[in-house]
Amino acid sequence: LCVFSSLQLVSLLLIGIAAWGIGFGLISSFRVVGVVIAVGVFLFFIALVGLIGAVKHHQVLLFFYMIILLLVFIVQFSVSCACLALNKEQQSELLEVGWNNTKSARTDIERNLNCCGFRVFYENETCAADCFRTYHCKPCAPIIEEYSGMVLRFVGGIGLFFSFTEILGVWLTYRYRNQKDPRANPSAFL
């Protein structure tokens, strides 16, 4: 039951972080928030399926929980390792691609970090930062790159921690799934 509650904790954490980002005006992209909330809700329902399967000793629910949890582990472990393996040049390239492809995230970054443009700011462009009125804005790339390495290490470490709890959940589910149901035949254990 501990594994189910850790998965529920992760799902509620994802939903809470997305709500916090919207509430404080840090994120205005509905797509980003929608994906984070959808992943949180998905993980919550998967944890609920595992919990119901464990309480009812339902073999089919436990099997599907085990398979889906294994797939979640593979994806989460891969993403966590990728976060930890990115070097400075790769981080910079990834940030620039994200900057060029998302207008709403660019606007949020400019407004929250009080910077304009990625590496260079051209005065004929628009900017959501307060410094735009005085035309004394710094480019956003150095500010973002300062925090990106720290954030990627933090996210990668947290992801690795929870991915190992998920593989523990797969193993425990496999072990529990193959046990006899004590309610079905109590004398089988004597």
Side-chain angles (χ1 to χ4, degrees):
L1 294 176
C2 153
V3 175
F4 306 118
S5 62
S6 73
L7 192 58
Q8 286 176 335
L9 175 70
V10 170
S11 66
L12 293 175
L13 190 64
L14 282 171
I15 295 168
I17 287 173
W20 177 76
I22 289 175
F24 283 99
L26 298 174
I27 303 169
S28 64
S29 172
F30 183 71
R31 245 189 291 177
V32 171
V33 173
V35 167
V36 171
I37 289 175
V39 169
V41 169
F42 172 75
L43 289 177
F44 187 80
F45 282 126
I46 295 305
L48 203 59
V49 165
L51 189 60
I52 292 169
V55 168
K56 299 279 187 183
H57 209 83
H58 195 276
Q59 298 294 314
V60 176
L61 283 179
L62 287 174
F63 175 76
F64 282 116
Y65 172 75
M66 183 176 64
I67 296 300
I68 292 172
L69 194 61
L70 182 64
L71 293 174
V72 168
F73 162 76
I74 291 169
V75 169
Q76 187 170 345
F77 184 77
S78 302
V79 170
S80 297
C81 288
C83 285
L84 293 172
L86 287 175
N87 60 28
K88 291 284 185 192
E89 294 82 29
Q90 292 169 329
Q91 288 175 20
S92 181
E93 289 174 23
L94 186 63
L95 289 171
E96 191 163 5
V97 167
W99 182 270
N100 293 331
N101 290 329
T102 57
K103 175 119 176 92
S104 63
R106 184 182 326 152
T107 304
D108 289 341
I109 290 169
E110 287 175 341
R111 186 185 38 178
N112 291 326
L113 297 179
N114 202 26
C115 58
C116 289
F118 190 68
R119 299 226 185 264
V120 178
F121 176 64
Y122 301 106
E123 294 186 14
N124 60 349
E125 294 180 10
T126 59
C127 180
D130 290 334
C131 65
F132 179 66
R133 294 182 194 105
T134 61
Y135 294 106
H136 291 12
C137 291
K138 297 177 186 175
C140 294
I143 300 169
I144 298 170
E145 288 171 353
E146 178 183 337
Y147 296 108
S148 67
M150 179 182 61
V151 169
L152 284 172
R153 283 191 304 275
F154 179 74
V155 168
I158 296 292
L160 273 179
F161 172 75
F162 281 113
S163 67
F164 285 116
T165 62
E166 288 165 3
I167 199 65
L168 176 67
V170 169
W171 179 74
L172 288 173
T173 304
Y174 176 76
R175 295 284 307 227
Y176 184 74
R177 189 176 165 271
N178 289 327
Q179 288 181 347
K180 294 183 188 286
D181 186 0
R183 293 172 298 166
N185 187 4
S187 64
F189 293 102
L190 299 177

mmCIF file of all heavy atoms in Angstrom, residues 6 13 26 42 46 54 70 86 127 157 166 175 182:
data_model
loop_
_atom_site.group_PDB
_atom_site.id
_atom_site.type_symbol
_atom_site.label_atom_id
_atom_site.label_comp_id
_atom_site.label_asym_id
_atom_site.label_seq_id
_atom_site.Cartn_x
_atom_site.Cartn_y
_atom_site.Cartn_z
ATOM 1 N N SER A 6 2.742 6.438 -2.590
ATOM 2 C CA SER A 6 3.802 7.274 -3.171
ATOM 3 C C SER A 6 3.429 7.705 -4.578
ATOM 4 O O SER A 6 3.718 8.837 -4.976
ATOM 5 C CB SER A 6 5.141 6.532 -3.164
ATOM 6 O OG SER A 6 5.169 5.512 -4.125
ATOM 7 N N LEU A 13 1.145 15.928 -6.289
ATOM 8 C CA LEU A 13 2.198 16.937 -6.375
ATOM 9 C C LEU A 13 2.214 17.598 -7.747
ATOM 10 O O LEU A 13 2.326 18.820 -7.859
ATOM 11 C CB LEU A 13 3.546 16.286 -6.062
ATOM 12 C CG LEU A 13 4.738 17.192 -5.872
ATOM 13 C CD1 LEU A 13 4.528 18.069 -4.648
ATOM 14 C CD2 LEU A 13 5.990 16.360 -5.707
ATOM 15 N N LEU A 26 2.671 32.399 -12.852
ATOM 16 C CA LEU A 26 3.984 32.059 -13.376
ATOM 17 C C LEU A 26 3.892 31.396 -14.739
ATOM 18 O O LEU A 26 4.797 31.518 -15.559
ATOM 19 C CB LEU A 26 4.724 31.134 -12.412
ATOM 20 C CG LEU A 26 5.015 31.710 -11.030
ATOM 21 C CD1 LEU A 26 5.618 30.648 -10.134
ATOM 22 C CD2 LEU A 26 5.935 32.911 -11.159
ATOM 23 N N PHE A 42 -3.728 11.014 -14.592
ATOM 24 C CA PHE A 42 -3.452 9.661 -15.072
ATOM 25 C C PHE A 42 -2.755 8.838 -13.985
ATOM 26 O O PHE A 42 -3.160 7.711 -13.695
ATOM 27 C CB PHE A 42 -2.585 9.716 -16.344
ATOM 28 C CG PHE A 42 -2.103 8.384 -16.807
ATOM 29 C CD1 PHE A 42 -2.953 7.500 -17.444
ATOM 30 C CD2 PHE A 42 -0.778 8.009 -16.616
ATOM 31 C CE1 PHE A 42 -2.502 6.258 -17.872
ATOM 32 C CE2 PHE A 42 -0.323 6.785 -17.033
ATOM 33 C CZ PHE A 42 -1.185 5.901 -17.666
ATOM 34 N N ILE A 46 -4.071 5.485 -12.002
ATOM 35 C CA ILE A 46 -3.291 4.253 -12.009
ATOM 36 C C ILE A 46 -3.054 3.787 -10.569
ATOM 37 O O ILE A 46 -3.162 2.598 -10.256
ATOM 38 C CB ILE A 46 -1.949 4.464 -12.742
ATOM 39 C CG1 ILE A 46 -2.198 4.769 -14.220
ATOM 40 C CG2 ILE A 46 -1.028 3.271 -12.580
ATOM 41 C CD1 ILE A 46 -3.022 3.737 -14.934
ATOM 42 N N ALA A 54 -5.244 -4.301 -5.022
ATOM 43 C CA ALA A 54 -4.624 -4.893 -3.825
ATOM 44 C C ALA A 54 -5.659 -5.193 -2.744
ATOM 45 O O ALA A 54 -5.609 -6.244 -2.110
ATOM 46 C CB ALA A 54 -3.560 -3.949 -3.281
ATOM 47 N N LEU A 70 5.268 -0.362 -14.924
ATOM 48 C CA LEU A 70 6.543 -0.663 -15.571
ATOM 49 C C LEU A 70 6.803 0.302 -16.731
ATOM 50 O O LEU A 70 7.919 0.804 -16.892
ATOM 51 C CB LEU A 70 6.579 -2.115 -16.055
ATOM 52 C CG LEU A 70 7.875 -2.565 -16.718
ATOM 53 C CD1 LEU A 70 9.018 -2.518 -15.711
ATOM 54 C CD2 LEU A 70 7.718 -3.957 -17.288
ATOM 55 N N LEU A 86 22.474 15.933 -19.686
ATOM 56 C CA LEU A 86 22.657 17.085 -20.572
ATOM 57 C C LEU A 86 23.828 17.948 -20.122
ATOM 58 O O LEU A 86 23.914 18.322 -18.954
ATOM 59 C CB LEU A 86 21.388 17.943 -20.599
ATOM 60 C CG LEU A 86 20.194 17.406 -21.356
ATOM 61 C CD1 LEU A 86 18.999 18.331 -21.177
ATOM 62 C CD2 LEU A 86 20.503 17.236 -22.817
ATOM 63 N N CYS A 127 7.999 43.004 -26.152
ATOM 64 C CA CYS A 127 8.488 42.314 -24.960
ATOM 65 C C CYS A 127 7.505 42.568 -23.824
ATOM 66 O O CYS A 127 6.951 43.658 -23.701
ATOM 67 C CB CYS A 127 9.883 42.828 -24.604
ATOM 68 S SG CYS A 127 10.591 42.047 -23.156
ATOM 69 N N GLY A 157 17.080 14.155 -10.351
ATOM 70 C CA GLY A 157 17.249 13.422 -9.093
ATOM 71 C C GLY A 157 15.930 12.990 -8.492
ATOM 72 O O GLY A 157 15.785 11.839 -8.051
ATOM 73 N N GLU A 166 8.911 3.206 -8.117
ATOM 74 C CA GLU A 166 7.983 2.561 -9.048
ATOM 75 C C GLU A 166 8.439 1.152 -9.401
ATOM 76 O O GLU A 166 7.613 0.240 -9.498
ATOM 77 C CB GLU A 166 7.826 3.407 -10.305
ATOM 78 C CG GLU A 166 7.036 4.666 -10.054
ATOM 79 C CD GLU A 166 7.167 5.686 -11.157
ATOM 80 O OE1 GLU A 166 7.839 5.403 -12.171
ATOM 81 O OE2 GLU A 166 6.605 6.779 -11.002
ATOM 82 N N ARG A 175 4.941 -9.847 -6.699
ATOM 83 C CA ARG A 175 4.970 -10.788 -5.577
ATOM 84 C C ARG A 175 3.569 -10.954 -4.957
ATOM 85 O O ARG A 175 3.140 -12.063 -4.668
ATOM 86 C CB ARG A 175 5.948 -10.302 -4.495
ATOM 87 C CG ARG A 175 7.394 -10.246 -4.906
ATOM 88 C CD ARG A 175 7.976 -11.609 -4.938
ATOM 89 N NE ARG A 175 7.726 -12.253 -3.674
ATOM 90 C CZ ARG A 175 8.607 -12.908 -2.968
ATOM 91 N NH1 ARG A 175 9.810 -13.007 -3.409
ATOM 92 N NH2 ARG A 175 8.283 -13.480 -1.835
ATOM 93 N N PRO A 182 -6.182 -15.051 0.780
ATOM 94 C CA PRO A 182 -6.530 -15.711 2.047
ATOM 95 C C PRO A 182 -8.031 -15.783 2.291
ATOM 96 O O PRO A 182 -8.489 -16.629 3.049
ATOM 97 C CB PRO A 182 -5.853 -14.836 3.105
ATOM 98 C CG PRO A 182 -5.605 -13.535 2.448
ATOM 99 C CD PRO A 182 -5.492 -13.803 0.967
#
